[in-house]
Amino acid sequence: MVAQPKVRLILSAATAPTLEFAYRIDWAAGRHRVSWRPPTRRARITEATATLAPSAGKLLPSWNVRGRIGWVVDVPESGTYVLTILAPLTDLDWRLEALARVNDNRLVLHPELIVGNNAAEPLAVDGVTLLDKEGAPVAESEESLLVEAATRVRFPIGQ
């Protein structure tokens, strides 16, 4: 696959941290062979799943790509599609903290995400999504995040 992915870090209270690789691809109708390797060794290909959806429209059935580098995709009609691959991430710890400030005699909480990168390579993502225990998004950021190897950063997220 030649397309550059948009990479999102997904953090959940119920599951391990996950990297989402979203590829925007123009495809003709028919069968297409896809080859994929995670751009980082930290993403576990053995547990990856994929979905394909038209950029505007109904989601097609998802499939399991666990441990596979190549597979075939059936594209129902020509158009722009988003191929999304979710792969669990290793060597990352995180927590959510809220900084309290008084503003006009009101206590205002400012949530911050603390991300620790325990790997030997940096982690760079185009955005972050925080999910609750049921998997619903509770906070998102479209800001890019870079966490150098063996460091910890504070990152404002949500309201």
Side-chain angles (χ1 to χ4, degrees):
M1 181 172 305
V2 182
Q4 259 318 92
K6 182 172 184 181
V7 181
R8 177 169 287 284
L9 174 61
I10 300 175
L11 301 171
S12 168
T15 62
T18 302
L19 284 180
E20 175 188 85
F21 302 94
Y23 297 86
R24 227 176 142 74
I25 305 166
D26 290 322
W27 266 334
R31 300 186 104 192
H32 297 272
R33 186 155 205 36
V34 176
S35 293
W36 182 78
R37 286 185 191 265
T40 174
R41 290 178 307 215
R42 302 173 65 188
R44 294 189 295 225
I45 192 171
T46 57
E47 297 175 39
T49 58
T51 57
L52 181 67
S55 31
K58 185 175 122 181
L59 185 68
L60 300 172
S62 66
W63 66 97
N64 185 333
V65 296
R66 294 172 197 230
R68 287 191 277 164
I69 293 170
W71 64 93
V72 174
V73 175
D74 286 315
V75 176
E77 59 187 51
S78 298
T80 302
Y81 288 82
V82 178
L83 174 64
T84 304
I85 300 172
L86 295 173
L89 183 63
T90 61
D91 300 324
L92 184 80
D93 63 74
W94 66 278
R95 70 179 185 273
L96 192 61
E97 290 184 355
L99 299 176
R101 293 193 177 98
V102 176
N103 186 6
D104 294 330
N105 292 328
R106 287 186 2 211
L107 185 64
V108 179
L109 297 177
H110 299 278
E112 284 192 337
L113 190 59
I114 291 86
V115 178
N117 182 2
N118 302 319
E121 65 181 89
L123 172 69
V125 295
D126 301 312
V128 177
T129 300
L130 185 62
L131 305 177
D132 65 13
K133 287 184 179 180
E134 284 77 42
V138 292
E140 292 185 305
S141 173
E142 296 303 318
E143 289 182 48
S144 60
L145 171 66
L146 173 65
V147 186
E148 294 293 340
T151 62
R152 200 177 275 329
V153 297
R154 295 180 84 85
F155 184 74
I157 189 164
Q159 300 264 348

